[in-house]
Amino acid sequence: GHPVYRDMSTTIFEHMSARARETGAINLGQGFPEGPGPDAVLQAAADALLTRSSQYPPMAGLVELRTAVADHYARHQQLDLSPQEVIVTSGATEAIAASLLALVQPGDEVLMLAPLYDAYLPLVERVGGVAKLVTLTPPDWRITREALAAAITPRTRILLMNNPVNPTGVVLREEELALIADLCVAHDLIAICDEVWEQTVYDGLPHRPLMGLAGMRDRTVKIGSAGKIFSVTGWKVGWMCAAPPIAALLARAHQFLTFTTPPGLQWAVAEGLAYPDAWFADQRAAYQASRDRLAAGLAAAGYVVQPSAATWFLSIDLPASGIALDDVSFCNRIIDEAGVAAIPISAFYPTRPVTHLVRLCFSKTDRTLDQAIERLAAFR
Ligand code: GLN
């Protein structure tokens, strides 16, 4: 038959959202905030659509947005980027795809940490990369030098990682980032660091960009997402930042993927990135309150919840909650019997070493969270 690539199955997020639509379940599966998004940023987009051009913007993005991204990272993360080091993409997923297309040669080994975001492995394999996975396990998901070093060979070229981590809500510890940076320098690796959750870090924890560590400035591709920062996941505006020699390669891959990103949305995101610090702090505080509301409600209903320091997700520990189902069975049961959609953590591993955790999205209104808690309480 035809040489058809068979390993790109429908993502778990689309699968679960489709089932939630069919069944009318409350969707705590796929990660997206409830509601249309913050007024200010929606108004900025509406204004831009009416007053600015809707024709092709420059391929690498509007200079105003590239400048706004660089300024935002200088202000929030002490990075020193020039606008030329920022390429605007149609979402972070495109940035990941473009980075891999640009930087991986067939046969190159790509080091990744599991649990891993579900787009990584199919894309790495599709560009001809050889996946080398380091498997992390609960409860602390700790990264060790030994495990990383054991997975690196002379053919390793790229490290692809996520921090803060979806689905665990982990923020990598200082010493973990330091040893990652050390190994990247020692083995001359380029790090592609997906930092889309950088503005959803709670409990006063800072976000430390990998690019800011010693030796990493010119060997890191830093990926960001306006959808996450501004709670508008459908906008699909993202970016990738890298030193000029890498950025030039990234731009060439991007030009044949999407070429550009809607300019009205780029204008709005540029405006939003310049909001005062308090705006971002308020967003974080609201999401943190939602996290705490869901965690407390689930605990009161007898569920044991894993702590989450970041992202829009927390996890239920099934056996600790006295539930004798694996994660996939539990998700199938609660969507049909409780009317709540969730995501099994085993979907974030190519093999299923962890099958006892279920991810729930808490970026929802209090009313929706309370309803979901009530339904999950009744399911027990
Ligand atoms: N990032 C989202 C999540 O983890 C999913 C995005 C998507 O479905 N492409 O739920």
Side-chain angles (χ1 to χ4, degrees):
H2 296 287
V4 174
Y5 185 78
R6 274 185 300 261
D7 286 348
M8 284 195 185
S9 52
T10 301
T11 91
I12 185 71
F13 309 117
E14 178 60 22
H15 173 74
M16 282 302 190
S17 284
R19 287 209 59 201
R21 282 190 292 266
E22 279 160 34
T23 59
I26 297 175
N27 190 354
L28 303 190
Q30 189 177 40
F32 59 90
E34 195 168 351
D39 281 345
V41 63
L42 298 180
Q43 190 62 55
D47 292 345
L49 281 172
L50 292 171
T51 61
R52 306 278 189 179
S53 170
S54 276
Q55 309 309 334
Y56 297 131
M59 185 266 281
L62 292 174
V63 70
E64 288 80 359
L65 176 53
R66 301 171 77 189
T67 304
V69 170
D71 290 349
H72 183 85
Y73 285 148
R75 183 154 63 95
H76 290 265
Q77 299 177 21
Q78 293 74 52
L79 291 174
D80 178 21
L81 287 161
S82 76
Q84 290 67 40
E85 292 175 300
V86 180
I87 316 265
V88 177
T89 58
S90 292
T93 303
E94 195 226 4
I96 294 160
S99 302
L100 293 170
L101 275 171
L103 301 175
V104 177
Q105 302 292 333
D108 285 353
E109 290 181 1
V110 179
L111 184 61
M112 290 176 281
L113 306 169
L116 79 178
Y117 184 60
D118 81 328
Y120 296 175
L121 189 58
L123 287 172
V124 164
E125 291 181 341
R126 198 66 178 117
V127 300
V130 177
K132 299 290 268 189
L133 285 167
V134 172
T135 298
L136 309 177
T137 49
D140 55 4
W141 314 96
R142 188 169 289 278
I143 300 169
T144 66
R145 179 180 296 272
E146 296 66 41
L148 277 185
I152 296 175
T153 80
R155 298 170 68 91
T156 312
R157 301 283 307 124
I158 306 283
L159 166 70
L160 170 57
M161 58 176 273
N162 179 215
N163 181 44
V165 184
N166 178 5
T168 56
V170 162
V171 172
L172 295 197
R173 302 159 187 88
E174 297 270 328
E175 62 271 21
E176 290 172 311
L177 284 172
L179 77 85
I180 286 168
D182 249 26
L183 287 170
C184 286
V185 171
H187 297 275
D188 196 23
L189 310 184
I190 293 177
I192 302 171
C193 199
D194 166 359
E195 300 185 358
V196 300
W197 303 104
E198 60 201 343
Q199 283 288 7
T200 52
V201 180
Y202 310 119
D203 309 316
L205 277 175
H207 173 70
R208 300 272 329 264
L210 185 65
M211 185 180 252
L213 274 85
M216 296 308 289
R217 174 65 177 79
D218 293 340
R219 62 171 70 250
T220 303
V221 179
K222 174 177 167 62
I223 292 176
S225 162
K228 304 299 190 292
I229 296 176
F230 297 105
S231 306
V232 285
T233 56
W235 279 19
K236 302 302 293 180
V237 178
W239 49 82
M240 42 193 181
C241 309
I246 297 178
L249 298 175
L250 300 180
R252 297 207 192 115
H254 162 70
Q255 70 186 338
F256 297 132
L257 274 174
T258 60
F259 182 58
T260 54
T261 298
L265 301 181
Q266 292 195 48
W267 282 107
V269 171
E271 197 175 309
L273 287 170
Y275 289 162
D277 291 2
W279 191 89
F280 299 95
D282 286 351
Q283 292 278 118
R284 277 194 297 275
Y287 284 132
Q288 180 174 318
S290 298
R291 175 198 66 175
D292 294 343
R293 189 180 193 92
L294 182 59
L298 289 172
Y303 289 96
V304 172
V305 169
Q306 283 236 322
S308 167
T311 73
W312 293 331
F313 312 114
L314 57 73
S315 295
I316 292 177
D317 182 326
L318 297 173
S321 307
I323 296 168
L325 292 170
D326 75 1
D327 58 348
V328 172
S329 314
F330 181 79
C331 287
N332 287 331
R333 290 274 307 271
I334 61 169
I335 198 164
D336 291 328
E337 295 172 32
V340 177
I343 301 286
I345 294 282
S346 61
F348 295 80
Y349 292 91
T351 59
R352 298 176 65 229
V354 175
T355 56
H356 68 284
L357 297 173
V358 168
R359 191 193 84 171
L360 295 175
C361 174
F362 56 73
S363 54
K364 307 294 172 189
T365 60
D366 287 353
R367 188 164 167 276
T368 297
L369 293 175
D370 292 348
Q371 267 175 357
I373 292 161
E374 209 173 290
R375 292 178 179 197
L376 289 171
F379 175 78
R380 296 193 50 101

